[in-house]
């Protein structure tokens, strides 16, 4: 039979990246001039570094260093860095990981894919759209692929005022994407919008609470779920009326749709069910294979008939069926407004209540209160939170897979029978997706699993550095959205042979997308001895900051001390807060000092050059008792610095008090991780072992947490400080996989009062050697250097050779070397205050590259001897840092060039994405009086399985002349209500036949719903109808389909069809003669004949 008939294909052609190069649409566009210049710059930079390495300024100006032993092994192993991660497939970087500080209030929360576009919704309510055909190209913002962003949304609904997008669903049939929002509204967005900004075309208040889930059923109805088990259906007929409104009339969609819903809770109450699920409806899933809908709460499911909207089954995650007697008999409190409407609309007869009605209402009120308590218990964690249902998906074979918070994956059949459960990963499942013969699982750990249809693991890789929030499939990729807002595309063939080819080609082109940045970092440490410094002292200490410094890190110790201070610090830590008035004084003082120094320096420069003066902005701080660390970033560098996290590790009394320990800050600089740790270790000459143990505890257990609030306006012109909150694991808990967080950083700097002393030297001997500046002899007696040489502490870390006098202990306000301790104890001078670091270098001569992305050297390491405000001298260390990072925009274009132009890749893709040849038994079916016909789909391929899906391309009414009018598609190509197709999707083995039942269901009446309740019934619709079914066939990996069109005509009357068309032009491929229809038996008599047929 003809697979296409004479009808043109009205469906939009999706982006075909496997098309022939002769196709104009597949030709790669010319790269922009800006992109070409960047590639040339990176190539020249690469040649300079490799052909002229002796000209590197780093080797000329760097100070000699001492390297501790014990590095490169165990927990001190350097992180493995490659241009491409060796343990995950090459990916398409749609949107690189954005800095968290740039995303406050606008994080992306969900994604959805249509045939031509990728959509993402943000917590501000704004949506973004990427054209799938442009994903390889250079964008203008965030180094992301070109995208469009909607206008801002102002929510004035009945919710909490937050218009955040919670869920999205696409309707390719009508070119609309629908988004559900936290303010309870549903908004519609046109896929084909004009250039420039765009805004929602339709909007209405759907729920009192947030719209948590949405789905289009196989009959084109839109279902939405909210809090407290509230499910509403928006019939396609009402949606169609809203879509038909003109631009001037679209404001009426709020009135039209706001009350035109079906309230499932009121519907099931008639059948004895009044509350199906007591918890929030987080997931809705349409089983198009069997025309059913799944809804899930925290621990239970409800199974619905998509056509009749009847409740079929309620069961929990263990598969146990819940009886009607077990269910609450009252609507949810979230329906308070609807209940009030029913009371107002009730007749006078209803106002006169019988005693039974009064008792029933009282009972309902009591049960409703119990229902509310049960919901609160579920939300509050009284129930088993680890078994919470997080995600649902359906596979092509009709199986339902459920992901739980404990990492459990449960397989169900279409009737709600539990088949099996597996737990391939202990982390929480956050999203599921399926296509072809694969299932993808996204976890809170950032890992993605690829499974086959039986649940066997095919592949596993770290997709993102944070949780995978959502997945969507389109244009041959599965797109993953990370919690930090990044989006990546993974080829649906991964893991597979194609990955190796792409990996090799991309690695070979690494020099084209590698960018080297040069950065100067100033670090300083000072034990302030509970004093307060003058501005002149700070200027003397930080005077180097006015040079070409980009980042300043300051660590202070003994900002405040005493039993009361320690007690108050412990209380603040217990409630997740840090900081103190004295600590804030120090931060403000340094703010003012840096501001004044930069202003004076810039004024001097601007006299000779026309330049804008720069300033430093404080971007993060953390305090634990007397220890304080803070980071300042120059404003021109701030767009590249962010994701600032903080940590604290107490090492004092009982390992719980912060008189000793460390505070740290972690930040991302040019997409590389830097950690700065300010330490104050155990005191006294003989406590070497305790100091070593303090370091070991800090290194192993320091765990960073996110800031508790946004940037706050600082005083005296300073931008802000991020007050850091101590997370649940930020006080001495090792990471889940056993690898310390500090081991994963590209550069780690330890600074502070380490308290290591000098051995075997007296006070007078030390003074003599210091006065002669004979530091070599003193360094040989330095405890820290001896322990580093033995590999007992700071394993693998480096320190510039010390050329300044010991910084401890001095009499306050006494200048010069004569100021060493003159008291009774006469403590022996020592280098207590130190700054050490490690970068990515495996060897001393390693050059900066994507394999060794951070290479640092020390250009200055000195103390400030003229500062006398404390018994310690402040120390500074200036690092010259080279940072290699990936220009994601250029790499994305290189990735696209390889996919589109590499012959080996193209050949492999064509082989993997081959569509098996199939034929159908008929193109025309006539149904009368609840007839059932069998449609047979034959897979003529002898090697590959064929996957099919049946949708309805459109429905029309037959006119008096026997011709069909325009075929209107229902929502998401749904079926008409009078037609049942079972199964509507499946897998056909090689050289096998699939049978599909096409059944006419009597459905001659339609109901109108207002506020969820039927109001009236329309007259019987006895007009003949016609539907165009589309049998879409594809292979395991092909997203392109070969389509068979099947005409199904529903004849309500027995009138004869005129075999002679009046207008042959209009009737072509439209009017069907009775002889063209075929009644098919259920036997296999025609199978042999069908196998010999060939589809054109």
């Amino acid at each position: 039979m003809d697979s296409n008939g004479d009808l043109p294909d009205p469906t939009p052609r999706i982006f075909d990246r496997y098309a022939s190069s002769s196709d104009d649409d597949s030709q790669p566009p010319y790269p922009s001039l800006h992109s070409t210049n960047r590639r040339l710059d990176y190539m020249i930079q690469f040649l300079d570094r490799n052909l002229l390495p002796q000209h590197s300024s780093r080797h000329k100006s760097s100070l000699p260093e001492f390297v501790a032993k014990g590095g490169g092994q165990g927990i001190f192993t350097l992180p493995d860095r490659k241009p491409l991660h060796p343990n995950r497939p090459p990916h398409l970087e749609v949107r690189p990981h954005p800095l968290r500080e740039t995303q406050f209030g606008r994080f992306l929360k969900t994604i959805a894919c249509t045939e031509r576009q990728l959509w993402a919704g943000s917590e501000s309510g704004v949506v973004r759209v990427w054209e799938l055909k442009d994903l390889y190209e250079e964008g203008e913002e965030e180094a992301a692929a070109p995208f469009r962003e909607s206008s801002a949304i102002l929510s004035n609904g009945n919710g909490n005022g937050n218009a955040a997008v919670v869920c999205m669903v696409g309707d390719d049939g009508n070119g609309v994407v629908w988004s559900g929002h936290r303010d309870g509204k549903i908004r519609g967005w046109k896929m084909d919008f004009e250039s420039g900004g765009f805004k929602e075309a339709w909007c209405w208040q759907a729920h009192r609470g947030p719209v948590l889930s949405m789905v289009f059923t196989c009959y084109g109805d839109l279902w939405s779920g909210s809090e407290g088990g509230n499910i509403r259906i928006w019939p396609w007929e009402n949606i169609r009326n809203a879509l038909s409104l003109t631009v001037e009339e679209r404001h009426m969609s709020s009135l039209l749709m706001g009350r035109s819903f079906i309230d499932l809770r009121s519907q099931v109450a008639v059948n004895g069910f009044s509350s199906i699920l007591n918890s929030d409806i987080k997931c809705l899933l349409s089983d198009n294979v069997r025309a059913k809908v799944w809804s899930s709460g925290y621990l239970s499911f409800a199974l619905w008939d998509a056509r009749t909207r009847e409740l079929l089954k309620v069961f929990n995650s263990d598969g146990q069926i819940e009886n009607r007697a077990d269910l609450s008999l009252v609507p949810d409190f979230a329906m308070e407004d609807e209940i009030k409407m029913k009371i107002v609309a009730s007749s006078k007869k209803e106002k006169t209540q019988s005693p039974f009605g009064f008792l029933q209402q009282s009972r309902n009120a009591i049960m409703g209160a119990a229902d509310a308590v049960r919901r609160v218990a579920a939300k509050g964690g009284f129930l088993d939170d680890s078994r919470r249902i997080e995600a649902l998906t359906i596979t092509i074979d009709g199986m339902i897979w459920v992901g739980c918070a404990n990492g459990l994956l449960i397989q169900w059949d279409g009737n709600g029978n539990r088949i099996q459960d597996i737990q391939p990963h202990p982390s929480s499942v956050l999203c599921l997706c399926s296509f072809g013969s694969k299932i993808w699982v996204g976890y809170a750990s950032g890992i993605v699993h690829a499974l086959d249809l039986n649940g066997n693991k095919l592949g596993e890789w770290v997709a993102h550095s944070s949780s995978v929030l959502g997945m969507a499939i389109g244009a041959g990729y599965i797109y993953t959205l990370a919690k930090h807002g990044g989006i990546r595309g993974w080829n649906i063939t991964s893991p597979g042979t194609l990955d190796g080819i792409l990996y090799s080609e991309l690695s070979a082109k690494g020099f084209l997308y590698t960018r080297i940045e040069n950065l100067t970092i100033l670090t300083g440490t000072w034990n302030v001895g509970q004093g307060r410094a003058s501005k002149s002292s700070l200027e003397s200490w930080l005077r180097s900051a006015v040079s070409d410094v980009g980042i300043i890190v300051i660590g202070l110790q003994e900002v405040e001390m005493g039993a009361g201070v320690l007690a108050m610090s412990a209380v603040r830590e217990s409630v997740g807060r840090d900081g103190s008035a004295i600590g804030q004084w120090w931060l403000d003082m340094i703010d003012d000092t840096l501001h004044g120094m930069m202003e004076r320096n810039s004024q001097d420069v601007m006299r000779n050059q026309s330049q804008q003066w720069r300033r430093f902005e404080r971007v993060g701080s953390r305090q634990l008792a007397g220890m304080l660390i803070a980071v300042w970033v120059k404003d021109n560098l701030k767009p590249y610095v962010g994701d600032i996290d903080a940590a604290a590790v107490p090492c004092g009394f009982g390992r719980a008090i912060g008189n000793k320990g460390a505070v740290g800050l972690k930040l991302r600089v040019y997409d590389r991780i830097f950690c700065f740790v300010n330490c104050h270790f155990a005191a006294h000459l003989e406590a070497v072992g305790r100091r070593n143990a303090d370091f070991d505890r800090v290194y192993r257990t320091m765990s960073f947490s996110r800031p508790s609030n946004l940037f706050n306006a600082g005083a005296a012109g300073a931008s802000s400080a991020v007050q850091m909150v101590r997370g649940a694991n930020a006080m001495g808990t090792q990471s889940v996989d056993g690898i310390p967080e500090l081991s994963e950083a590209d550069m780690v700097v330890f600074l502070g009062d380490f308290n290591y002393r000098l051995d075997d030297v007296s006070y007078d001997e030390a003074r003599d050697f210091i006065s002669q500046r004979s530091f070599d002899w003193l360094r040989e007696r330095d405890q820290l250097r001896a322990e580093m040489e033995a590999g007992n502490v700071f394993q693998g870390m480096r320190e510039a050779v010390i050329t300044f006098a010991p910084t401890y202990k001095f009499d306050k306000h006494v200048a010069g070397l004569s100021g060493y301790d003159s008291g009774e104890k006469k403590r022996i001078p020592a280098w207590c205050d130190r700054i050490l670091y490690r970068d990515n270098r495996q060897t001393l001569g390693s050059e900066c590259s994507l394999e060794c992305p951070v290479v640092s050297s020390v250009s200055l390491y000195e103390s400030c001897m003229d500062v006398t405000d404390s018994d310690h001298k402040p120390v500074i260390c200036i690092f010259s840092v080279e940072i290699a990072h990936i220009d994601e925009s250029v790499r994305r274009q290189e990735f696209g060039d390889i996919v589109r132009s590499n012959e080996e890749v193209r050949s492999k893709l064509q082989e993997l994405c081959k569509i098996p040849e199939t034929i159908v038994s008929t193109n025309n079916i006539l149904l009368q009086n609840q007839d059932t016909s069998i449609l047979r789909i034959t897979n003529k391929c002898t090697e590959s399985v064929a996957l099919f899906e049946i949708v309805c391309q459109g429905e029309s009414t037959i006119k008096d002349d026997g011709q069909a009018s325009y075929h209107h598609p229902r929502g998401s190509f749904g079926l008409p209500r009078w037609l049942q197709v079972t199964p509507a999707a499946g897998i056909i083995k090689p050289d096998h036949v699939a049978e599909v039942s096409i059944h006419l269901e009597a459905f001659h009446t339609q109901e109108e719903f207002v506020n969820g309740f039927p109001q009236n019934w329309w007259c019987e619709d006895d007009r003949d109808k016609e539907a165009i079914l589309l049998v879409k066939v594809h292979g395991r990996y092909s997203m392109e389909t070969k389509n068979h069109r099947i005409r199904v005509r529903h004849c309500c009357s027995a009138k004869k069809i005129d075999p002679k068309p009046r207008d042959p032009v209009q009737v072509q491929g439209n009017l069907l003669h009775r002889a063209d229809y075929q009644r098919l038996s259920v036997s296999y008599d025609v199978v042999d004949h069908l196998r010999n047929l060939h589809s054109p």
Side-chain angles (χ1 to χ4, degrees):
M1 289 290 176
D2 186 358
S3 64
N4 295 308
D6 297 320
L7 284 179
D9 185 358
T11 57
R13 186 175 187 275
I14 67 172
F15 168 45
D16 180 8
R17 57 190 189 85
Y18 315 129
S20 170
S21 59
S22 61
D23 190 343
D24 292 339
D25 292 338
S26 66
Q27 290 288 349
Y30 292 105
S32 67
L33 180 61
H34 181 246
S35 173
T36 302
N37 288 338
R38 291 214 308 270
R39 297 188 198 196
L40 290 174
D41 289 342
Y42 302 157
M43 187 183 300
I44 294 172
Q45 195 178 57
F46 171 79
L47 293 174
D48 287 344
R49 297 181 62 81
N50 286 271
L51 298 179
L52 304 171
Q54 68 273 17
H55 291 168
S56 173
S57 60
R58 179 173 62 84
H59 297 287
K60 292 183 178 181
S61 59
S62 60
L63 299 178
E65 298 175 348
F66 173 77
V67 183
K69 294 183 178 179
Q73 56 189 359
I75 63 172
F76 303 104
T77 302
L78 296 178
D80 187 21
R81 298 290 187 252
K82 301 288 184 183
L84 298 173
H85 198 294
N87 297 322
R88 70 181 173 206
H91 62 272
L92 174 63
E93 198 79 30
V94 178
R95 188 197 189 206
H97 176 174
L99 295 175
R100 186 192 315 132
E101 291 76 8
T102 66
Q103 300 299 302
F104 285 131
R106 50 197 296 262
F107 279 99
L108 299 184
K109 291 299 183 181
T110 185
I111 57 173
C113 220
T114 66
E115 288 185 330
R116 297 182 294 111
Q117 296 169 330
L118 174 65
W119 291 68
S122 72
E123 61 183 351
S124 66
V126 171
V127 300
R128 287 189 176 187
V129 187
W130 285 266
E131 297 291 335
L132 296 181
K133 64 181 179 63
D134 296 332
L135 288 185
Y136 297 135
E137 311 312 327
E138 180 183 13
E140 298 180 358
E141 298 180 42
E142 302 176 342
F147 66 89
R148 308 246 333 255
E149 192 170 71
S150 70
S151 305
I153 290 180
L154 298 178
S155 174
N156 56 357
N158 297 326
N160 58 6
N162 186 353
V165 180
V166 181
C167 53
M168 303 185 82
V169 61
D171 176 8
D172 282 296
N174 296 277
V176 179
V177 171
W178 301 96
S179 57
H181 296 253
R182 191 164 296 281
D183 59 7
K185 291 186 177 182
I186 292 178
R187 292 176 168 90
W189 313 81
K190 295 184 64 176
M191 294 182 188
D192 297 321
F193 40 77
E194 298 177 357
S195 59
F198 62 99
K199 61 181 181 179
E200 76 272 11
W202 303 273
C203 176
W204 71 87
Q205 191 71 39
H207 296 272
R208 293 183 67 244
V211 182
L212 300 178
S213 54
M214 292 192 304
V215 71
F216 270 104
T217 70
C218 61
Y219 287 101
D221 297 330
L222 178 62
W223 291 39
S224 61
S226 186
E227 295 177 331
N230 193 355
I231 303 177
R232 290 179 175 176
I233 300 176
W234 311 91
W236 165 246
E237 291 73 19
N238 300 103
I239 296 177
R240 181 182 59 195
N241 292 336
L243 296 181
S244 65
L245 296 174
T246 64
V247 175
E248 293 76 14
E249 297 171 337
R250 282 178 185 169
H251 66 279
M252 298 171 57
S253 63
S254 177
L255 298 175
L256 176 65
M257 295 297 301
R259 301 178 63 185
S260 302
F261 61 88
I262 301 174
D263 184 0
L264 281 187
R265 306 193 67 158
S266 65
Q267 295 297 299
V268 298
V270 177
N271 299 323
F273 293 94
S274 182
S275 178
I276 314 97
L277 296 173
N278 299 296
S279 56
D280 303 345
I281 306 299
K282 184 176 181 181
C283 302
L284 285 170
L285 176 70
S286 178
D287 178 0
N288 294 347
V289 178
R290 303 172 189 84
K292 296 178 181 178
V293 177
W294 289 57
S295 63
S296 74
Y298 287 104
L299 300 173
S300 59
F301 305 91
L303 190 57
W304 309 80
D305 187 301
R307 179 180 168 277
T308 64
R309 300 147 181 168
E310 294 179 357
L311 178 63
L312 304 177
K313 186 178 180 181
V314 178
F315 51 100
N316 60 26
S317 57
D318 294 325
Q320 298 174 347
I321 299 176
E322 297 186 6
N323 299 320
R324 298 187 183 187
D326 298 332
L327 301 173
S328 173
L329 298 176
V330 66
D332 190 270
F333 281 163
M335 297 183 62
E336 181 180 353
D337 286 354
E338 288 78 0
I339 295 173
K340 291 179 179 178
M341 291 179 186
K342 286 187 286 184
I343 294 175
V344 171
S346 62
S347 64
K348 296 181 179 180
K349 183 177 179 180
E350 292 173 335
K351 294 181 180 179
T352 59
Q353 302 176 9
S354 64
F356 174 79
F358 174 76
L359 292 175
Q360 182 66 31
Q361 285 194 356
S362 300
R363 182 179 183 276
N364 287 351
I366 295 173
M367 295 300 293
D371 181 36
V373 171
R374 193 190 316 183
R375 295 199 316 274
V376 172
K379 290 184 180 180
F382 299 115
L383 301 179
D384 185 2
D385 188 64
S386 65
R387 300 168 56 214
R388 186 180 66 250
I389 299 166
E390 293 287 351
L392 283 78
T393 192
I394 183 171
T395 54
I396 191 68
D397 60 355
M399 293 292 115
I400 310 297
W401 286 84
V402 176
C404 303
N406 59 1
L408 197 68
L409 295 173
I410 309 174
Q411 183 186 23
W412 307 77
D413 67 14
N415 297 317
N417 300 313
R418 183 165 170 152
I419 305 300
Q420 65 164 331
D421 61 78
I422 58 176
Q423 191 174 18
H425 189 64
S427 181
S428 175
V429 177
L430 296 185
C431 52
L432 290 167
C433 196
S434 68
F435 177 80
S437 58
K438 281 186 179 180
I439 306 167
W440 288 270
V441 189
Y443 293 94
S445 61
I447 286 178
V448 163
H449 280 176
L451 312 176
D452 64 16
L453 296 182
N454 295 319
N456 300 311
K457 188 191 298 183
L458 302 175
E460 172 185 358
W461 60 87
V462 179
H464 298 278
S465 59
S466 64
S467 304
V468 182
L469 295 184
M471 292 179 172
I473 288 184
Y477 289 96
I478 175 166
Y479 304 98
T480 55
L481 169 65
K483 188 176 182 180
H484 55 56
I487 300 176
R488 286 174 172 169
W490 312 88
N491 198 291
I492 58 174
T493 65
S494 298
T497 56
L498 187 63
D499 297 335
I501 303 174
L502 291 172
Y503 186 94
S504 176
E505 291 291 326
L506 272 176
S507 297
K509 293 187 173 184
F511 65 94
L512 291 175
Y513 53 77
T514 301
R515 181 168 183 169
I516 307 294
E517 308 286 354
N518 293 287
L519 176 65
T520 302
I521 301 177
L522 183 150
T523 58
T525 177
W526 190 11
N527 185 323
V528 298
Q530 306 179 61
R532 299 197 182 189
S534 63
K535 182 171 289 189
S536 61
S537 295
L538 291 175
E539 290 180 350
S540 178
W541 177 31
L542 303 175
R543 60 183 180 274
S544 300
V546 298
S547 61
D548 192 23
V549 171
I551 297 176
I552 298 176
V553 183
I554 301 297
L556 304 177
Q557 306 86 43
E558 295 189 15
V559 170
E560 50 186 343
M561 298 294 289
V565 170
L566 297 178
M568 288 301 299
S569 175
V571 171
R572 287 194 294 266
E573 292 291 327
S574 66
V575 296
R577 304 297 300 178
D578 73 290
S580 67
I582 297 179
Q584 189 61 47
W585 180 90
W586 274 99
L587 294 175
D588 294 340
M589 190 68 174
I590 298 175
D591 282 344
D592 293 343
T593 301
L594 291 175
H595 180 81
M597 293 169 59
M598 293 301 295
E599 185 176 14
R600 290 193 299 271
N601 180 73
S602 298
Q603 289 174 351
D604 294 339
V605 173
M606 291 171 64
R607 291 191 184 98
N608 302 319
Q609 302 178 18
S610 177
Q611 294 182 358
Q612 180 182 4
W613 73 283
R614 300 295 184 182
R615 56 184 293 178
F616 283 98
E617 297 183 12
R618 175 160 39 97
V619 297
S621 65
R622 181 66 162 99
Q623 183 177 357
L624 174 66
M627 294 173 288
L628 175 64
I629 188 171
V631 175
W632 287 261
V633 175
K634 193 170 287 185
D635 54 4
N636 63 327
L637 187 63
K638 199 167 179 287
Y640 311 101
V641 179
D643 286 3
I644 302 167
D645 297 336
V649 179
C651 295
F653 307 117
R655 297 298 193 188
I657 303 301
N659 61 314
K660 294 294 187 287
V663 288
L665 290 175
K666 181 175 73 172
L667 52 151
R668 194 154 61 97
V669 183
Y670 290 115
D671 209 34
R672 301 301 177 186
I673 303 301
F674 287 68
C675 291
F676 301 92
V677 184
N678 174 29
C679 305
H680 194 189
F681 293 158
H684 304 301
L685 177 68
E686 66 281 358
V688 176
R690 287 177 56 194
R691 287 189 277 275
N692 293 351
D694 287 347
F695 165 78
D696 187 72
R697 172 176 166 80
V698 169
Y699 192 90
R700 289 179 182 272
T701 66
M702 178 162 278
S703 182
F704 294 88
S705 62
R706 292 189 173 187
S708 60
N709 61 334
L710 312 183
F711 286 94
N712 299 317
S719 169
S720 57
V722 181
Q723 293 297 328
M724 303 296 179
V725 60
R726 174 180 57 84
N729 63 343
M731 291 290 289
T733 302
Q734 196 165 336
S735 57
V736 176
D737 54 5
I739 301 176
E741 286 195 43
L742 292 175
S743 296
E744 295 297 314
D746 294 290
M747 183 171 180
V748 180
V749 177
F750 273 82
L751 51 94
D753 180 2
F754 299 160
N755 258 323
Y756 286 91
R757 310 300 174 88
L758 299 179
D759 279 330
D760 303 324
V761 62
S762 66
Y763 174 81
D764 292 330
E765 286 177 324
R767 290 289 301 272
D768 289 341
F769 280 104
I770 292 171
S771 63
Q772 300 171 23
R773 304 193 66 82
S774 300
F775 298 142
D776 293 343
W777 188 85
L778 290 177
R779 281 197 299 266
E780 294 176 1
R781 285 150 180 80
D782 177 28
Q783 290 179 344
L784 178 56
R785 183 164 182 170
E787 294 299 308
M788 292 172 66
E789 180 69 30
N792 295 331
V793 72
F794 292 106
Q795 289 87 339
M797 302 198 75
R798 307 168 186 269
E799 182 185 27
V801 174
I802 297 177
T803 58
F804 52 86
T807 56
Y808 172 85
K809 178 183 186 196
F810 288 84
D811 294 331
K812 290 185 178 182
H813 308 297
V814 177
L817 297 179
S818 60
Y820 282 105
D821 188 10
S822 60
E824 251 181 62
K825 296 183 179 180
K826 288 192 175 181
R827 292 181 178 84
I828 300 172
W831 286 293
C832 291
D833 309 283
R834 313 285 276 270
I835 300 176
L836 289 75
Y837 81 102
R838 73 127 178 98
D839 52 19
N840 287 124
R841 282 179 293 172
Q842 298 281 358
T843 61
L844 188 61
S846 298
E847 292 291 333
C848 185
S849 65
L850 293 180
E851 290 82 2
C852 181
V854 176
V855 174
S856 180
S857 61
V858 179
S859 58
L860 179 66
Y861 190 33
E862 66 179 15
S863 66
C864 188
M865 300 302 292
D866 56 345
V867 174
T868 62
D869 301 276
S870 171
D871 56 352
H872 289 251
K873 299 298 182 182
V875 174
I876 65 167
C877 181
I878 296 181
F879 296 97
S880 297
V881 186
E882 293 177 322
I883 305 172
H885 66 106
I886 295 172
D887 187 323
E888 294 292 356
S889 181
V890 173
R891 184 170 76 166
R892 183 171 56 252
Q893 294 175 73
E894 292 295 332
F895 188 94
D897 291 344
I898 294 171
V899 171
R900 291 180 293 203
S901 305
N902 186 280
E903 289 300 325
E904 187 178 6
V905 172
R906 291 175 59 84
S907 175
K908 181 63 67 174
L909 284 173
Q910 291 174 359
E911 177 185 345
L912 291 171
C913 300
K914 184 178 180 180
I915 304 175
E917 182 182 0
T918 58
I919 56 175
V920 295
S921 57
T922 183
N923 293 112
N924 307 305
I925 297 175
L926 175 64
L927 297 175
Q928 287 180 318
N929 302 323
Q930 296 188 324
D931 285 347
T932 299
S933 290
I934 302 300
L935 173 69
R936 293 186 176 90
I937 310 170
T938 303
N939 181 7
K940 294 182 62 64
C941 181
T942 59
E943 299 177 352
S944 304
V945 299
L947 291 76
F948 74 93
E949 177 189 4
I950 301 177
V951 299
C952 182
Q953 199 171 27
E955 176 191 13
S956 66
T957 300
I958 305 301
K959 296 185 290 187
D960 294 338
D961 58 3
Q963 301 181 37
S965 57
Y966 175 76
H967 293 83
H968 297 274
R970 295 173 69 87
S972 195
F973 294 113
L975 299 171
R977 300 289 296 277
W978 50 267
L979 191 62
Q980 288 184 323
V981 178
T982 308
I987 302 175
I988 312 175
K989 295 180 180 179
D991 203 30
H992 278 65
V993 178
E995 289 191 339
V996 179
S997 170
I998 311 295
H999 176 69
L1000 173 63
E1001 183 66 34
F1003 191 77
H1004 301 304
T1005 59
Q1006 295 183 353
E1007 295 175 307
E1008 180 180 300
F1009 289 81
V1010 177
N1011 294 327
F1013 301 94
Q1015 298 297 306
N1016 62 336
W1017 289 261
W1018 294 346
C1019 62
E1020 181 174 336
D1021 185 2
D1022 60 354
R1023 294 172 296 177
D1024 292 352
K1025 300 178 181 63
E1026 181 178 273
I1028 302 296
L1029 297 185
L1030 206 63
V1031 181
K1032 305 171 71 173
V1033 181
H1034 61 91
R1036 292 182 183 272
Y1037 301 115
S1038 70
M1039 303 204 73
E1040 286 288 307
T1041 61
K1042 288 184 177 178
N1043 301 333
H1044 303 275
R1045 287 178 176 80
I1046 313 296
R1047 292 179 177 276
V1048 180
R1049 181 165 291 188
H1050 167 206
C1051 291
C1052 298
S1053 61
K1055 58 186 178 183
K1056 183 179 178 180
I1057 303 176
D1058 183 5
K1060 298 180 180 180
R1062 299 180 183 177
D1063 187 349
V1065 176
Q1066 295 181 0
V1067 175
Q1068 181 182 6
N1070 189 15
L1071 179 63
L1072 303 176
H1073 308 295
R1074 184 70 183 183
D1076 294 331
Y1077 291 94
Q1078 296 187 14
R1079 296 279 185 178
L1080 301 177
S1081 67
V1082 295
S1083 67
Y1084 286 91
D1085 295 339
V1086 296
V1087 171
D1088 293 335
H1089 174 67
L1090 291 175
R1091 287 176 177 167
N1092 296 323
L1093 297 177
H1094 293 272
S1095 297

